[in-house]
């Protein structure tokens, strides 16, 4: 079965067609974009040969590779071996002890970097084309703040291994809080600020957090998003939390912050508890847990992906340096929110361990107008921009006049992450933003891999719009057929990583069985990514999309099961199924099919109340794009909903394919006839 989906704007954006055991790719993109000779001449890796040499070394002699590439990091004792054991429970850098913040902070204090900007921050509110607030935090200042907050956490009784939930927006304090946890060996769990009460509560309970760090509210597209109030409600049913530290962000014009006596304290009061109390870092083992980050899986319960210290640091450090060809004078802007893994690895840990300057912008790309990103680049002289295809497509739609009004000549490198980038968006990014001058690094990775696993390495390789390039150092991907044999060039299959990498997740918090089952059971002992992909005749990888019940909406993974459990929580809903359909802007849009209990009427107010239910339970970002009411859903005789038919219907295609296991054939006809 073959299909190419055409979008309204005339873009051709192919989506994989998936049957039970095969994937067919329809992308035929043969353009190649070479880096300029000037870029290549200055690049860290200057040729494909040089890349191949380093890559071979990383596989054949991982010890030599990782020792050399991490030699600038601070270890109290060096590792005695590089990798021990086998996946799913391999361990890295055995014998090493460290505190990761010494690599991100202390080591820079001994050099002139002490006075270098670690973070240049802009708040969202703007007046007359200028930000109302900007802040520059030097490495010296960042160290001081981290030491003080670490002292506060210690004074509040947080010790090594305790969990701290961070519900913060894009403010420098988010980085400070992450580093302060790491400073004392506590495990941070950053929860995306857009999550609703239930989602936040479940995450706090899952990890049994002792402390929550939040802010009163955040500015978002000119509105205020309440955060402390959400935390308060979540804590009504999350009893492990003893203390809440609150950062006042909104200012005096907004409602005063309600503090619960004995539990809540303001950021400034916390910092005063013991300002030098974090000076001595907790020295931990290489495999000590660093953070938990929740991500969507194919069952309703979010997975607490656990990353550990030395391996994660090594991956973040080395990938930032090479993938972005980082230089000391760069101003590096990764636009991701701190609540996603990209914000962890490429706003905080990777850049700071390399002594880079990061730009952090609090708000939305179109606040107060669609020119905001480009003004930021011009104002600060951003040199590397790392963003997501969904944002790029929004910029395209908003029009070239916005970037064209700004001087973007400081840019030298562009990056993309989060989903396959469609060639039209790639070429637009390259032409309109990069002026044909900046290589585009397409980076494939996951919350689980922690850091970049595949990349169109700038300088060394050419770009092919839509391809994520070649494996990063230490990574050995392959495309497997269902029987575990390697697919031929250009044959679609399942993307696996055959070798353990230092920054891979170690387990799912509190559920090692689910960890093994999710990642290592499809192919016993080999990591299965959940993605379909193909590899072309140049060895370039093309990711075709998720093959599990996980959608990628605007670069965020959303588990259909999680959406479904929110929808069936609605008192009028009998059954539902959530599926994705291609969307020009978001990559995928979320469609829910709903059958109501008897006696309830489908209509606009029912639709709105179902949408509200999802916003309330999960967050606005997961609000379905469409609700379709149906008398019945297509099911197998054993009662399993047949989503592939619903996907066809949602996409406006006729539902074809094998319907022999369908219980009631008339259901499909009715659903198709119901189209809006
Ligand atoms: O399907 C792949 C897609 O995003 C998934 C990982 O999502 P998440 O854990 O939320 O992490 C996003 C940021 C790293 C992958 O399984 N994906 C991510 N980057 C790319 C991509 N698909 C194609 N090309 C990419 N560059």
């Amino acid at each position: 079965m073959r299909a190419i989906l055409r979008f309204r704007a005339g873009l051709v954006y192919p989506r994989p067609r998936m049957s039970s055991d095969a994937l067919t790719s329809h992308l035929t993109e043969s353009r190649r974009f070479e880096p300029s000779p000037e870029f290549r001449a200055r690049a860290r890796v200057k040729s494909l040969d040089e890349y191949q040499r380093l890559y071979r070394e990383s596989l054949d002699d991982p010890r030599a590779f990782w020792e050399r590439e991490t030699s600038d990091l601070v270890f109290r004792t060096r590792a005695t071996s590089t990798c021990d054991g086998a996946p799913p429970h391999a361990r890295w850098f055995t014998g090493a002890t460290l505190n990761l913040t010494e690599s991100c902070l202390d080591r820079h204090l001994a050099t002139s970097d002490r006075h270098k900007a670690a973070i240049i921050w802009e708040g969202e509110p703007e007046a007359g084309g200028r930000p109302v607030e900007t802040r520059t935090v030097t490495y010296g200042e960042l160290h001081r703040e981290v030491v003080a907050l670490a002292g506060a956490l210690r004074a509040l009784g947080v010790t090594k291994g305790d969990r701290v939930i961070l519900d913060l927006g894009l403010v420098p304090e988010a980085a400070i809080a992450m580093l302060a946890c790491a400073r004392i060996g506590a495990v941070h769990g950053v929860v995306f600020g857009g999550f609703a009460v239930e989602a936040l509560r479940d995450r706090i309970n899952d990890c049994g957090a002792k402390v929550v760090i939040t802010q009163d509210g955040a500015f978002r597209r000119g509105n205020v998003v309440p955060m402390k109030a959400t935390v308060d409600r979540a804590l009504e049913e999350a009893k492990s939390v003893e203390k809440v530290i609150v950062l006042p962000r909104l200012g005096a014009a907004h409602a005063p912050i309600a503090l619960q006596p004995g539990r809540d304290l303001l950021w400034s009061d916390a910092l005063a508890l013991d300002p030098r109390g974090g000076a001595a870092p907790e020295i931990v083992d290489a495999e000590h847990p660093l953070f938990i980050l929740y991500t969507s899986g194919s069952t309703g319960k979010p997975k607490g992906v656990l990353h550990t210290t030395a391996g994660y640091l090594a991956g973040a450090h080395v990938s930032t340096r090479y993938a972005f060809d980082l230089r000391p004078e760069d101003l590096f802007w990764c636009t991701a929110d701190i609540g996603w893994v990209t914000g962890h690895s490429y706003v905080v840990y990777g850049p700071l361990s390399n002594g880079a300057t990061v730009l952090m912008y609090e708000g939305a790309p179109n606040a107060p107008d669609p020119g905001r990103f480009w003004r930021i680049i011009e104002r600060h002289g951003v040199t590397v921009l790392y963003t997501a295809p969904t944002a790029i497509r929004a910029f395209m739609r908003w029009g070239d006049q916005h970037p064209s009004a700004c001087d973007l000549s400081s840019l030298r490198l562009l990056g993309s992450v989060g989903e396959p980038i469609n060639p039209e968006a790639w070429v637009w990014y390259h032409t309109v933003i990069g002026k044909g001058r900046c290589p585009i690094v397409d980076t494939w990775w996951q919350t689980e891999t922690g850091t970049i696993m595949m990349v169109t390495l700038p300088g060394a390789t050419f770009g092919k719009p839509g391809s994520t390039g070649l494996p990063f150092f230490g990574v050995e991907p392959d495309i497997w057929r269902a029987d575990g044999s390697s697919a031929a060039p250009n044959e679609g299959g399942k993307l696996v990583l055959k070798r353990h990498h230092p920054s891979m997740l170690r387990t799912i918090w509190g559920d090692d069985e689910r960890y093994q089952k999710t990642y290592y059971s499809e192919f016993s002992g080999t990591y299965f990514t959940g993605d379909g992909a193909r590899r072309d005749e140049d060895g370039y990888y093309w990711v075709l999309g998720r093959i599990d019940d996980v959608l990628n909406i605007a670069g965020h993974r959303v588990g259909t099961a999680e959406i479904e459990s929110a929808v069936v929580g609605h008192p009028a809903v009998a059954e539902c199924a959530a599926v994705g359909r291609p969307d020009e802007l978001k990559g995928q849009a979320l469609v829910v099919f709903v059958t109501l209990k008897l006696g309830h009427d489908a209509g606009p107010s029912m639709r709105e109340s179902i949408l509200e239910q999802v916003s309330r339970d999960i967050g606005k970002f997961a609000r379905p794009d469409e609700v379709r009411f149906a008398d019945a859903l297509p099911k197998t005789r054993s009662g399993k909903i047949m989503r592939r038919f619903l996907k066809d219907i949602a996409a406006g295609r006729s539902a074809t394919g094998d319907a022999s296991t369908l219980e009631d054939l008339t259901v499909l006809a009715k659903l198709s006839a119901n189209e809006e």
Side-chain angles (χ1 to χ4, degrees):
M1 193 162 41
R2 282 165 184 269
I4 291 185
L5 308 175
R6 284 173 198 282
F7 286 89
R8 286 187 302 280
L11 302 179
V12 178
Y13 187 19
R15 286 272 152 192
R17 300 284 305 137
M18 295 168 194
S19 64
S20 52
D21 56 359
L23 291 161
T24 312
S25 161
H26 303 277
L27 189 56
T28 43
E29 171 60 66
S30 52
R31 284 172 288 185
R32 290 179 174 201
F33 291 79
E34 296 279 353
S36 68
E38 301 78 61
F39 189 98
R40 182 159 267 170
R42 288 194 64 198
R44 285 182 183 274
V45 184
K46 296 180 174 54
S47 67
L48 202 53
D49 278 354
E50 208 180 318
Y51 157 77
Q52 298 287 11
R53 255 199 320 278
L54 273 168
Y55 179 62
R56 279 307 344 151
E57 183 201 31
S58 73
L59 299 190
D60 297 343
D61 192 355
R63 183 172 191 141
F65 176 84
W66 289 106
E67 265 188 17
R68 184 186 61 248
E69 298 296 331
T70 60
S71 59
D72 53 341
L73 297 175
V74 182
F75 290 95
R76 291 295 183 103
T77 52
R78 300 294 303 191
T80 48
S81 69
T82 307
C83 183
D84 293 303
H89 292 119
R91 296 178 310 281
W92 283 83
F93 307 120
T94 309
T97 59
L98 71 160
N99 183 284
L100 164 151
T101 66
E102 292 196 297
S103 289
C104 294
L105 301 171
D106 304 60
R107 86 181 179 96
H108 307 309
L109 301 190
T111 71
S112 56
D113 284 353
R114 178 183 202 101
H115 308 294
K116 179 179 178 177
I119 300 171
I120 296 176
W121 176 82
E122 254 195 50
E124 187 185 90
E126 215 185 24
R130 306 215 44 93
V132 176
E133 297 154 282
T134 56
R135 240 172 98 188
T136 299
V137 185
T138 65
Y139 273 96
E141 288 163 342
L142 189 62
H143 177 264
R144 197 165 54 241
E145 296 257 321
V146 168
V147 163
L149 186 65
L153 291 171
R154 279 182 171 151
L156 295 174
V158 180
T159 57
K160 183 176 163 187
D162 284 345
R163 274 81 57 210
V164 178
I165 286 281
L166 312 182
D167 185 14
L168 290 161
L170 265 171
V171 286
E173 284 80 2
I176 292 167
M178 290 162 76
L179 291 161
C181 290
R183 189 81 177 172
I184 63 168
V187 183
H188 61 71
V190 185
V191 173
F192 172 56
F195 275 125
V197 174
E198 284 74 10
L200 176 62
R201 177 201 64 201
D202 291 350
R203 285 157 174 77
I204 295 171
N205 283 334
D206 186 77
C207 70
K210 203 169 186 177
V211 168
V212 173
I213 305 179
T214 189
Q215 59 194 63
D216 49 352
F219 295 109
R220 190 73 192 172
R221 219 168 265 118
N223 299 318
V224 166
V225 181
M227 295 172 78
K228 169 68 164 55
T230 306
V231 169
D232 284 341
R233 286 179 46 215
L235 294 191
E236 287 169 16
E237 294 173 54
K239 296 300 171 201
S240 58
V241 174
E242 296 167 12
K243 299 283 175 194
V244 178
I245 299 174
V246 190
L247 174 77
R249 164 70 194 112
L250 300 178
H254 294 266
I257 304 170
L259 297 177
Q260 183 172 308
R263 190 195 69 181
D264 302 352
L265 69 169
L266 291 176
W267 181 273
S268 52
D269 293 336
L271 257 52
L273 287 175
D274 190 0
R276 296 290 304 149
E282 183 79 32
I283 303 303
V284 301
D285 231 52
E287 286 291 343
H288 182 69
L290 176 65
F291 66 84
I292 301 168
L293 192 56
Y294 287 90
T295 188
S296 294
S298 53
T299 70
K301 192 170 177 285
K303 296 179 285 197
V305 165
L306 181 75
H307 284 287
T308 56
T309 306
Y312 172 79
L313 174 64
H317 186 65
V318 174
S319 63
T320 306
R321 196 165 63 212
Y322 282 109
F324 303 105
D325 193 45
L326 198 71
R327 302 173 198 290
E329 65 274 20
D330 271 329
L331 177 54
F332 182 82
W333 185 16
C334 164
T335 66
D337 192 274
I338 213 91
W340 311 116
V341 72
T342 314
H344 284 55
S345 303
Y346 301 108
V347 176
V348 181
Y349 290 118
L352 299 183
S353 72
N354 281 287
T357 303
V358 294
L359 190 117
M360 203 188 252
Y361 164 58
E362 179 182 41
N366 55 349
D369 62 65
R372 185 61 185 267
F373 265 33
W374 320 120
R375 285 198 292 280
I376 291 176
I377 291 171
E378 178 181 271
R379 190 153 43 233
H380 301 282
V382 170
T383 58
V384 179
L385 174 67
Y386 187 35
T387 194
T390 184
I392 297 166
R393 288 192 294 271
F395 298 139
M396 283 173 77
R397 173 179 277 197
W398 291 333
D400 296 5
Q401 69 276 20
H402 300 291
S404 300
C406 294
D407 177 5
L408 305 181
S409 59
S410 57
L411 288 172
R412 63 178 197 87
L413 186 71
L414 303 172
S416 174
V417 62
E419 57 177 305
I421 180 167
N422 50 308
E424 285 71 14
W426 195 104
V427 171
W428 183 88
Y429 197 28
H430 189 254
T431 316
V432 178
I433 306 306
K435 312 285 182 221
R437 193 186 64 241
C438 309
I440 295 183
V441 280
D442 188 332
T443 60
W444 177 92
W445 56 295
Q446 309 178 293
T447 306
E448 292 86 343
T449 68
T451 61
I452 292 167
M453 296 283 117
M454 288 195 276
V455 58
T456 45
L457 201 65
T461 62
F462 47 86
K464 294 189 190 189
S467 166
T468 187
L470 299 171
F472 188 64
F473 304 129
V475 180
E476 202 179 359
D478 203 354
I479 311 287
W480 281 4
R481 302 187 181 108
D483 64 3
S485 57
S486 285
N490 289 316
E491 178 187 341
K494 292 176 176 172
L495 177 62
V496 298
L497 302 179
K498 293 200 290 192
R499 187 185 275 259
H500 206 255
H501 184 273
S503 70
M504 294 291 287
L505 84 165
R506 298 300 194 262
T507 191
I508 290 174
W509 181 262
D511 199 347
D512 194 63
E513 203 181 314
R514 185 175 177 201
Y515 161 68
Q516 297 191 40
K517 191 157 168 274
T518 307
Y519 304 107
Y520 289 95
S521 68
E522 180 87 17
F523 301 108
S524 178
T526 300
Y527 179 82
F528 173 44
T529 62
D531 280 358
R534 73 180 164 97
R535 185 175 43 210
D536 69 16
E537 52 290 340
D538 293 323
Y540 273 49
Y541 284 79
W542 301 76
V543 173
L544 306 172
R546 306 287 305 171
I547 64 171
D548 49 17
D549 281 331
V550 176
L551 306 179
N552 193 323
I553 293 176
H556 299 316
R557 270 160 70 177
V558 181
T560 52
E562 208 176 351
I563 304 288
E564 287 166 6
S565 79
V567 175
V568 294
H570 189 287
V573 172
E575 248 182 352
C576 88
V579 298
R581 74 162 150 72
D583 183 88
E584 184 189 315
L585 200 64
K586 302 205 258 179
Q588 276 184 305
L590 180 60
V591 181
V592 288
F593 290 85
V594 173
T595 60
L596 295 175
K597 291 181 184 156
L598 283 178
H600 292 277
D601 285 333
S605 64
M606 179 62 75
R607 175 171 285 122
E608 194 45 43
S609 97
I610 289 171
L611 292 174
E612 263 308 295
Q613 171 94 14
V614 179
S615 303
R616 211 170 40 242
D617 281 10
I618 302 176
K620 282 210 176 62
F621 71 98
R623 194 178 151 99
D625 298 87
E626 210 181 303
V627 177
R628 292 228 195 157
F629 294 105
D631 294 338
L633 299 176
K635 288 190 189 160
T636 61
R637 278 164 235 279
S638 61
K640 254 181 127 174
I641 295 174
M642 297 183 82
R643 285 193 177 68
R644 63 192 163 92
F645 292 125
L646 294 175
K647 282 185 200 158
D648 282 339
I649 291 167
R653 299 186 289 259
S654 55
T656 50
D658 180 14
S660 57
T661 52
L662 194 63
E663 185 202 20
D664 177 0
L665 274 169
T666 63
V667 168
L668 281 186
K670 280 194 209 144
L671 276 169
S672 305
N674 261 349
E675 274 190 27
E676 287 174 320

